[in-house]
Amino acid sequence: MTPFDLSVDLNDELQRRLIQAQTRREFLGSCVSGLGAMFLGTMAQRTLCAAPAATLTAGTDMRLDFARPAAQPLAMLPPQFAAKARRVIFLHMAGAPSQLELFEHKPLLNELDGQDCPASFLAGRRFAFISGVPKLLGAQYPFHQVGDSGAWISDRLPHLEKHIDDLCFIRSMRTDQFNHGPGQLLAQTGNARLGYASFGSWVTYGLGTENQNLPGFVVLTSGGKSPDGGKQLWGAGFLPSVYQGVQCRSRGEPVLYLRNPAGVSRGLRRQMLDAIDELDQKAYAEFGNPETMTRIAQYEMAYRMQLDASDALDVHRESPTVQARYGVTPGKTSFANNCLVARRLAERGVRFIQLYHWGWDSHGSQPSEALNIGFIERCKEVDQPIAALLEDLKLRGMLDDTLVVWGAEFGRTPMRENRNGQQMEYVGRDHNPGAFTVWMAGGGAKAGASYGETDDMGYDVVKNPVEFRDLHATMLYLLGFDHRQLNYAYQGLDQKLTGVKPARIIGEVLA
Amino acid sequence: MATLRPGRLSAGRYFLYVAMLTVMGIATLSLVLPNWAHAVKSLLGLERPPTVAPSSFYVQRIAPLFEEHCSSCHGARRQKANLRLDNLAYIVRGGKHGEVIKAGNLRDSELFSRIRLPASNDQVMPPKSKAPLSGDEITVVRLWIAAGASGVQPSAAFSEAPKAPVRVAIPDIDATAVTHNRASHVNAVRALQRRLLDVIQYQSRASADLEVHATSMGRSFGDVELALLVEIGAHIVWADFSDTAITDASAGAIKTMQRLRVLRLANTRISGSMVPALVSLNQLQSVTVVGTAITEASLRPLKDRHVMIHGNDEMANTLNARP
Amino acid sequence: MPDPERLGAVPEISAPVKVWDAQIRLFHWLVVALLGVSFFTADRGLMKWHRASGLGLLTLVIFRIGWGFLGSTTARFSEFVRGPRQVVNYFIGMKNGHGRAYTGHNPAGGWMVVVLLVALLAQASTGLFANDGVHFEGPLAYLITAELSDRVTKLHGILFDLILVLAWVHVVAVLFYFFVKGDNLIVPMLSGMKNRANVPIDARVQFTRPWVAWLLMAGVAGCVWWIVH
């Protein structure tokens, strides 16, 4: 049909286009839910009002109900059982710091420093860069025991050291991923492949958020680069996209494109949003796509955030004393600034705060990646702010119900990296998925505890291995959920963060 | 045997022989096939179940381990290879290929050799699709079999056994009980939830107790709003009023929240006049007064009751009040 | 092949008479062999072989049922499945020592054949839906739920015990004829020939042509192949 064909009835044409617009997926979706929707429609008012107070659906097989009013996808829901942790601050050290320079004291490795790596270490293992026979590498920094728990720690973290008895170490973490991207995805979404919902998304889906003027799930990055896993690390995957993490900045405009453009007043903005909402509501009535409601909710949240986010994300509203305790660098993006922001967000009821600090990939191929140069800087960048964050949370009593997790996608080898079989100029270690350390603090984690053991070289787990799915199950337990029951039906499966393999809640690390 | 010549045997005699042969056959098969033996033995009342003591290593360590790893296939519901591992009597009996454990003899204990096979082996148990036993779990089984696979030997006798993993129980939700317990205040809660969005919430889906998250409302939450909570005050066990606009005028309202265990009042304009209300809260476990005019010294009575007080006087002025 | 007309016309006391065709005999001994193989392979967990032998049994049993309609006189159900009155009379006659002779199966043996065939058919068919719990599933197990398959597997086990009992009864009966009645039934099942003394004087056995058997066998095997693939 040509544009000049005037014989077409415009109404017919409109109908035709509308039918075309109704995609197969939405059509099928509405077919499947059609009858149910008719029934629910009659009950909608009651059910939806009751939902925030929510209970569970009846029946022998207990299923948790996460239904909310369509316009309030982030409304609070109670946890399955009384939770120890009400929110999470996840400090992800992107690049994987060496546990052997921080928390894993291995005297035998120090004794064998410089010797050839035993063949048994190399058989059947894949490395990112190590080739031939590498040399064993002892700890680059001295260790000492601190606190009532007598935990070993190197001299790189003098501030964190003061909180050692608040920490709960898992020394026997292991993963099946030895590259950063998939490793980070596994750590944050429970699956090394793209398309799965991140931990923060699951938590905001399960619990909603306390503060409707801020996102329920905030992501802050520092260290000069974004994590290798990309934005999928805080993606919602198959969950409605309203649960995805919102990346904020502690410098400049806190959320990009949040501010009104020049010449647009808040009133005008409101009018604009009302008009868009009206159109969206029509589209929703027509097609019933939940993503339309997500869009409306996000516009509205952005509008509310214009007032609150700038305040929450502005570290300069803290007193100079506080800024100094964190080691804030005014006007810059830094891990210290992000830690202070994290505390401000936690205070305001943000459910899940994820901090990525890039630069821990200490291969030794260049100064910034050397254990004896760049690593020192990284330690300095995180040590003081983490200590200040723990201190502040404790001060307000918030550490009791804020779960702080420090970790990375994997660990590093006890062998010195020898790229192409050559001794390298700087000291570094290769990726080691076989063993690494994660610690938790607060939120019901057992303070001063240590779980799991690695061998004398810190190369492999010899006792109580912990996979990410076990860590996730444990974290969800602290947040008040049985990981098997925090479900979302997708592609014929009750999807869950911990996947299909059985995961263990590590009872040993619970307070 | 002359009588065995074809056609010369009387029918009676033939069937007598058949009966004898049948009995002998069953007897022989019973020796060869363990299941037959047990069927015959239990039929004759010859089999007595092994004694099991509640304090035994078997009950405390082995039974839960088998329950977790084995009983989905070798249990009450399914008995693959005719083997059940959910009861010591069945464990001792074995499966269709005979005994699976030989007391004190690890080498001939099929069960032990199967759980120790490498993951790549077809015969490994639990099968490849299931989680393998951990090193500690294998050690526990090894120690038990080596010590005689007994149902009475106490746990204390196994000093070298690795510590038992801590099992975390997920509490059940009793929907009727929840509805019943919430009945007294469910309507009041619903009304307040509409009035104060995302401030009041049940502590969990299994609970009728309430939590108050007023801090997210910031300065728009004040004495007027807090006064609304009096109606449900007796059900509030956890409350965060930090950074809100409440003042000492709320002392009376807070006093109604007698079941409060955690109370946060950081950065609020409360002062010494609030202290008696706080002291009156008998179940309090933790209180935050940092950033307020309340001194730690004035909370002495709470401290004496071992209530956790978050209110470092020196640090107080370093915390900013929210604008 | 001896001319049946001639045999009927000129009774020779000592000359053997052919009563079982090759198909019946082959069927009988193959079933014995495959039952053994099936038991052994199941016991040892050689499930690949168990599957093959089970499918073989299934093919044989279906073939035998078809042969019961198309086959030689002694193979036909119409010839040896008799009413209860006749069976009772047969037993009474045998007890009183004046039982008559039968060319093929006697009334009791005829029912034995039916029962055994039904049991074998049930056994082979349940096997299609069974599983061994871990490594193996019957070729049609995917069609039903795992739970149902587990229950079918249990039935498969019970049926085996039943077949064992039936086989024992069968052997006891055959030996009864041998030791008590002096009638050797084993040799004829091997050679196909019966002693004329044990065959009714007016015996007429019509033998179906072998190509019918081949066609039937090919058809049945094809069907089984199609079902499991």
Side-chain angles (χ1 to χ4, degrees), chain A residues 141-204:
Chain A
Y141 304 103
F143 274 71
H144 56 283
Q145 272 179 298
V146 284
D148 296 335
S149 59
W152 288 90
I153 189 169
S154 83
D155 67 351
R156 291 298 96 191
L157 303 169
H159 291 87
L160 182 66
E161 183 177 313
K162 293 175 204 144
H163 290 277
I164 197 94
D165 287 331
D166 293 327
L167 308 186
C168 168
F169 286 99
I170 299 176
R171 301 178 183 277
S172 51
M173 286 295 301
R174 66 180 186 197
T175 167
D176 51 14
Q177 296 301 321
F178 79 134
N179 278 320
H180 298 290
Q184 289 163 358
L185 279 170
L186 180 64
Q188 296 296 343
T189 73
N191 200 302
R193 282 170 296 144
L194 297 171
Y196 287 80
S198 57
F199 197 113
S201 302
W202 275 111
V203 175
T204 32

Side-chain angles (χ1 to χ4, degrees), chain A residues 110-295:
Chain A
N110 296 345
E111 267 174 50
L112 298 175
D113 181 47
Q115 296 196 23
D116 276 355
C117 171
S120 63
F121 275 31
L122 306 171
R125 296 284 282 245
R126 291 165 74 205
F127 298 97
F129 292 105
I130 279 178
S131 55
V133 179
K135 302 265 192 274
L136 292 171
L137 181 68
Q140 297 301 293
Y141 304 103
F143 274 71
H144 56 283
Q145 272 179 298
V146 284
D148 296 335
S149 59
W152 288 90
I153 189 169
S154 83
D155 67 351
R156 291 298 96 191
L157 303 169
H159 291 87
L160 182 66
E161 183 177 313
K162 293 175 204 144
H163 290 277
I164 197 94
D165 287 331
D166 293 327
L167 308 186
C168 168
F169 286 99
I170 299 176
R171 301 178 183 277
S172 51
M173 286 295 301
R174 66 180 186 197
T175 167
D176 51 14
Q177 296 301 321
F178 79 134
N179 278 320
H180 298 290
Q184 289 163 358
L185 279 170
L186 180 64
Q188 296 296 343
T189 73
N191 200 302
R193 282 170 296 144
L194 297 171
Y196 287 80
S198 57
F199 197 113
S201 302
W202 275 111
V203 175
T204 32
Y205 163 72
L207 294 171
T209 181
E210 291 174 25
N211 192 334
Q212 299 298 331
N213 300 336
L214 289 171
F217 175 13
V218 173
V219 182
L220 297 153
T221 65
S222 56
K225 264 197 193 179
S226 285
D228 310 67
K231 292 185 166 43
Q232 280 290 325
L233 295 177
W234 48 91
F238 38 73
L239 292 176
S241 52
V242 69
Y243 301 113
Q244 76 190 355
V246 174
Q247 193 178 353
C248 296
R249 308 189 308 164
S250 54
R251 179 174 69 102
E253 209 180 334
V255 182
L256 286 174
Y257 317 118
L258 185 65
R259 202 173 285 165
N260 291 329
V264 175
S265 71
R266 198 163 158 78
L268 186 57
R269 180 68 155 193
R270 184 66 261 169
Q271 281 180 313
M272 229 168 83
L273 289 180
D274 288 344
I276 294 173
D277 279 5
E278 204 175 307
L279 290 173
D280 280 344
Q281 291 284 5
K282 275 187 185 155
Y284 184 70
E286 186 93 38
F287 305 115
N289 186 343
E291 288 298 304
T292 312
M293 292 315 284
T294 295
R295 176 57 67 92

